[in-house]
Amino acid sequence: MMLQSDATQFEVDPRLLVRYLTGMGWRSDLLKNQMRRVWLPEDGVDQPVEIFLAEGSRSKSRDVFFAINTISQVYEKPPESVLHDIMSLAFDVITSKIPSEYVRNDSIELRIASQYIEKMKYFLASSATTELSGGDTYKRVLKEGVEYSEKCRFGHTFKGSFGFHIESPVGFNDEPSLDGIDQQQPFERRVVERIAVGLSSFKDAVSEQNPSLIVSAQDGFSANMCDSLIDIIEDIKVSKIDLEIAFSPEWKSRVAGGKQNFTVLLRDLDILKEASKSMRVEEPPRDAQIFGRIKKLETDGNPADLLEDKSGREIEVNWVNEENTLIHVKIALSPEDYLKAVEAHKTGRLVSAAGTLVKQGRIWRLTEAQRFNVVDL
């Protein structure tokens, strides 16, 4: 498999290519005519492989074009894969995919696509906030966590499935390497390492059916990270998500090297929920007045018989609390108030209610609700 013959299409600095080859163990030499010759070590190679790069050459170089094809043949990898590895050298890469059954004719529902991106960005921001706060839980996502997620690059989807190459920028390592002295890892690297540690502990917890392995993992998931990973599957309504993490060779990682693969299944979410619950300090009930739009309506009875059917009726309201954090609050309503809620939901109007705010695990409820009203702005 060869790249397109038009070498001018590839915006790759040859210096970046040399950095890639050096990291892969190639040796280099500078010839008298100022051409850089790079070749593989002789161990394990029948014949030396040479790549010529003009010193000082910039992008759109045919040298780069031929070099990428040579590397692809040596490692038996598609040229496009080699090109991606070179371009992502200064990034840690998280590849995430959902099952192929949700893909039809190489496309997917816009609802799933938009929610998937939103939830993955929140998961990244949650990991960054956990790294900054260092606790088992936090009250709100920090601004710095959101800024980190915004800096990550979301690559294109891949054929036959739906997902993204999420690239976390770690930059080039230009610091001198000294024996016995550990280098300070970039913040972005520590965020992705935390995700890898958390996923590894989750994998072990599923294997042993022991949520405490997630709780006890040092520098792993927080309760909020567990919650945000749960939300990816439950809110998008998929059966699983596959994740692969590949660390940039620029920086040494404290977790296992190479690519790591993880699968989060819908049936295993209870383990994450138990871990999240164990890491949270239960908040005492308190009086609250909530105000927001209805996210969901639920009834065990006949939705068309709102006044005669006495089955339980419940709504879920999006409420931004006093700490400027969005939470979803469930409220049980009388048939009459539920009818008002149905109409408010149809028209997108806001509702308000007063009561006792109680947190049960990940669920917020407004108990003993009173003064339920539809608000006209």
Side-chain angles (χ1 to χ4, degrees), residues 110-365:
L110 183 59
R111 173 191 67 83
I112 295 178
S114 60
Q115 286 189 342
Y116 188 72
I117 296 173
E118 177 188 352
K119 298 297 181 182
M120 285 302 301
K121 287 182 68 175
Y122 188 85
F123 180 59
L124 294 170
S126 180
S127 180
T129 299
T130 302
E131 179 63 29
L132 289 165
S133 63
D136 287 337
T137 184
Y138 58 81
K139 289 187 176 181
R140 62 182 179 84
V141 174
L142 297 177
K143 179 184 69 174
E144 294 86 352
V146 175
E147 290 174 348
Y148 161 76
S149 69
E150 295 290 344
K151 287 196 303 181
C152 290
R153 304 194 310 193
F154 280 67
H156 58 75
T157 59
F158 15 90
K159 189 176 180 63
S161 60
F162 176 79
F164 281 92
H165 291 299
I166 303 169
E167 299 177 345
S168 173
V170 294
F172 292 116
N173 184 2
D174 294 320
E175 298 179 10
S177 180
L178 302 176
D179 293 337
I181 300 178
D182 293 333
Q183 290 184 320
Q184 178 65 37
Q185 300 278 28
F187 169 72
E188 294 81 1
R189 162 57 61 85
R190 302 199 305 273
V191 171
V192 177
E193 283 184 336
R194 181 173 288 276
I195 292 173
V197 171
L199 288 170
S200 181
S201 68
F202 169 68
K203 186 176 181 178
D204 293 339
V206 171
S207 177
E208 299 186 23
Q209 290 296 292
N210 184 2
S212 66
L213 296 180
I214 299 173
V215 178
S216 61
Q218 186 176 3
D219 297 328
F221 282 171
S222 63
N224 306 81
M225 291 178 68
C226 291
D227 294 345
S228 59
L229 187 55
I230 292 167
D231 287 343
I232 293 175
I233 291 182
E234 286 193 338
D235 288 4
I236 302 175
K237 297 180 174 61
V238 294
S239 60
K240 70 173 183 176
I241 179 173
D242 293 318
L243 295 143
E244 179 184 271
I245 298 179
F247 292 106
S248 165
E250 286 290 300
W251 300 88
K252 291 183 179 180
S253 177
R254 61 184 176 85
V255 300
K259 293 182 178 179
Q260 300 182 61
N261 295 280
F262 307 96
T263 297
V264 182
L265 298 171
L266 175 63
R267 67 169 183 252
D268 295 328
L269 294 189
D270 284 344
I271 290 178
L272 280 173
K273 292 176 182 179
E274 284 298 318
S276 173
K277 184 177 180 180
S278 297
M279 287 187 279
R280 290 187 181 277
V281 178
E282 293 296 327
E283 298 189 20
R286 62 183 178 87
D287 294 336
Q289 174 88 29
I290 73 161
F291 176 81
R293 282 192 171 84
I294 297 173
K295 177 185 178 183
K296 188 187 302 182
L297 301 126
E298 293 181 353
T299 178
D300 295 329
N302 180 5
D305 188 6
L306 293 174
L307 298 179
E308 297 298 327
D309 191 327
K310 300 303 181 181
S311 300
R313 294 172 172 83
E314 189 175 71
I315 65 172
E316 188 172 318
V317 177
N318 292 331
W319 178 48
V320 179
N321 64 15
E322 300 88 343
E323 296 170 345
N324 201 33
T325 299
L326 175 64
I327 63 175
H328 311 300
V329 183
K330 294 180 179 291
I331 311 173
L333 296 177
S334 66
E336 293 79 9
D337 283 342
Y338 189 82
L339 180 60
K340 292 194 293 184
V342 170
E343 293 301 317
H345 187 56
K346 285 181 180 178
T347 56
R349 288 185 289 173
L350 302 172
V351 298
S352 66
T356 303
L357 188 65
V358 178
K359 190 174 187 184
Q360 302 169 335
R362 298 175 62 239
I363 307 299
W364 291 91
R365 293 186 182 278

Side-chain angles (χ1 to χ4, degrees), residues 14-47:
R15 293 173 297 178
L16 186 61
L17 178 55
V18 168
R19 197 158 190 141
Y20 168 83
L21 291 169
T22 302
M24 296 292 288
W26 294 55
R27 298 196 305 269
S28 63
D29 191 15
L30 190 64
L31 302 182
K32 293 181 180 179
N33 60 1
Q34 296 302 301
M35 296 290 288
R36 184 179 295 276
R37 183 178 63 181
V38 187
W39 68 92
L40 275 172
E42 296 181 1
D43 293 342
V45 179
D46 295 334
Q47 295 181 349

